[in-house]
Amino acid sequence: MLSSTSGFQRLSQAALSRSRFLRLAASALLPFVGLRPSAAAGLNPELAQNEGGAPETKDPVASGRMGAILVSQFGPVKIHSYLSPADGFHVNTQMIEGPTAVVIFDGQLLLPYAGEVASYVQALGKPVDRIILSHAHTDHWSGLQVLTERFPDARVFALHGVADQLRARGQARLDIFRPIYGDRIATKVTIPTETITEGLQQIDGITYDFKRFVDAESDLQLAALLPEQKVLMAFDLVFSPNEHAFTVVDHFDHWMIVLEQLKALQDYNTITIGHDTPVHRSAIDSTITYVKRAREIHAASADAKTYSESLKAAFPDRQQAGWVDFSAKLLYAARR
Ligand SMILES: [Zn+2]
């Protein structure tokens, strides 16, 4: 039986400058050393891009990389997490490297970052077995355009219903992002071609337990458990205590129910999330606190501006205040 009690404590320096790496490492490890979230926020300022200073790395692919890579090893299984810079919403792409293949979860918002993911995976020297999309939000699928070009043999999986959501709304979402990001956003919608089934599955000798959740941060969300490694891949169900969460739809009550269900999964002490570095399971509680407060503020706020200002004031230590403005716009647009 494979086991790990330490989770993501082995971090690859990748292309990070020393100071940036230390900030990221501090952010990843703080839950394990028990510092308060407010202390964590102080040590984890918004990541600077292309900061000066030569990285100390033996990874030839890392040269000039804009994103960050964290690696954790569990026996023959390695989890590589690519974390985009802030302008890509700190989206994670998880790469599960087994004995003979790699499984990629999520595809980044911006194409250059998806390109970095592809180059990193290619350097691992193993074929991509499949690409799995966790949910239909643009920041997780836009870059699938690059990944499917670079790995044409890899099938793209998602929960039943996600492909329909992308067919219905994908292009409109890209049209919203285009004025902001120009040619860094996808030019076409990549539709998953395969349906992922719930329950236990072996891929490349690794056991996955896929779970389907509705009406939380998104209408439809995959979570993936690795029971042998005791890793919960929660994607956008759980957010870092250091950053704001996205609250783009009015599912506050049910999201809290889902979080309680995740909390009931005992022993999963390492949680990889959709944005920012992996967290300790205590992040489930801090996400519940956040969603509960957001629900109250939403109920009391007549417009997006009031909601946004009140939520930022309620969590002054959380980074990425821009995510609150972004969320408020969508949340209140949906109301009309
Ligand atoms: Zn997201």
Side-chain angles (χ1 to χ4, degrees):
M1 173 67 82
L2 302 170
S3 69
S4 169
T5 53
S6 59
F8 280 76
Q9 295 194 22
R10 205 175 70 81
L11 303 173
S12 151
Q13 265 191 305
L16 302 175
S17 71
R18 175 174 290 276
S19 61
R20 188 176 162 203
F21 173 77
L22 290 174
R23 285 204 300 274
L24 257 180
S27 167
L29 296 178
L30 277 171
F32 297 102
V33 298
L35 294 185
R36 299 184 314 278
S38 57
L43 289 168
N44 185 24
E46 187 169 311
L47 298 175
Q49 286 181 60
N50 295 323
E51 199 174 312
E56 292 178 6
T57 175
K58 292 174 184 163
D59 178 358
V61 181
S63 174
R65 185 186 294 133
M66 296 170 281
I69 301 274
L70 279 68
V71 185
S72 183
Q73 182 148 14
F74 303 84
V77 179
K78 271 188 191 171
I79 301 179
H80 309 259
S81 302
Y82 174 93
L83 178 63
S84 89
D87 64 346
F89 290 4
H90 285 171
V91 176
N92 274 305
T93 293
Q94 311 292 351
M95 296 155 272
I96 312 300
E97 181 189 1
T100 67
V102 180
V103 175
I104 301 177
F105 286 86
D106 285 353
Q108 292 293 317
L109 172 65
L110 300 180
L111 304 185
Y113 304 148
E116 292 195 329
V117 169
S119 298
Y120 183 83
V121 171
Q122 276 170 339
L124 296 176
K126 294 175 185 174
V128 176
D129 176 276
R130 69 191 69 190
I131 300 166
I132 299 173
L133 175 62
S134 69
H135 64 297
H137 285 168
T138 318
D139 45 333
H140 298 259
W141 62 258
S142 162
L144 292 182
Q145 179 175 331
V146 169
L147 296 183
T148 52
E149 282 166 9
R150 298 275 292 269
F151 306 109
D153 295 334
R155 295 171 298 163
V156 181
F157 285 75
L159 289 170
H160 177 70
V162 168
D164 285 344
Q165 291 181 333
L166 291 181
R167 276 189 210 99
R169 298 197 286 270
Q171 189 58 50
R173 291 282 152 76
L174 290 181
D175 294 344
I176 291 169
F177 280 105
R178 173 94 44 229
I180 305 165
Y181 291 111
D183 60 7
R184 297 204 298 157
I185 202 86
T187 54
K188 67 179 179 68
V189 183
T190 304
I191 308 286
T193 52
E194 313 276 340
T195 300
I196 203 156
T197 49
E198 282 186 90
L200 292 169
Q201 234 183 96
Q202 294 263 332
I203 305 171
D204 192 27
I206 301 168
T207 304
Y208 293 83
D209 188 359
F210 293 112
K211 293 188 179 293
R212 179 181 197 272
F213 293 99
V214 298
D215 295 349
E217 191 261 357
S218 61
D219 296 338
L220 189 51
Q221 171 72 63
L222 177 77
L225 277 62
L226 301 177
E228 288 166 358
Q229 289 74 28
K230 294 295 177 205
V231 173
L232 163 60
M233 301 170 75
F235 303 101
D236 283 10
L237 295 174
V238 177
F239 279 78
S240 164
N242 303 327
E243 295 190 337
H244 283 283
F246 288 102
T247 52
V248 298
V249 279
D250 181 9
H251 296 320
F252 302 103
D253 287 310
H254 197 258
W255 188 356
M256 285 191 281
I257 292 170
V258 168
L259 286 164
E260 292 292 347
Q261 290 168 350
L262 293 185
K263 222 173 129 176
L265 298 168
Q266 297 298 322
D267 302 330
Y268 286 83
N269 290 325
T270 299
I271 305 179
T272 70
I273 52 179
H275 302 260
D276 207 351
T277 43
V279 292
H280 180 262
R281 59 182 289 112
S282 60
I284 298 174
D285 278 326
S286 57
T287 304
I288 290 172
T289 302
Y290 187 94
V291 173
K292 187 165 186 281
R293 192 80 187 94
R295 181 191 60 169
E296 291 162 3
I297 291 170
H298 182 240
S301 302
D303 56 57
K305 188 167 178 288
T306 310
Y307 174 81
S308 184
E309 285 174 359
S310 305
L311 191 51
K312 284 187 273 192
F315 296 97
D317 291 337
R318 292 201 179 218
Q319 308 290 308
Q320 306 303 329
W323 295 359
V324 183
D325 299 326
F326 176 84
S327 297
K329 253 183 223 165
L330 292 179
L331 183 61
Y332 282 80
R335 229 185 203 189
R336 284 195 290 271

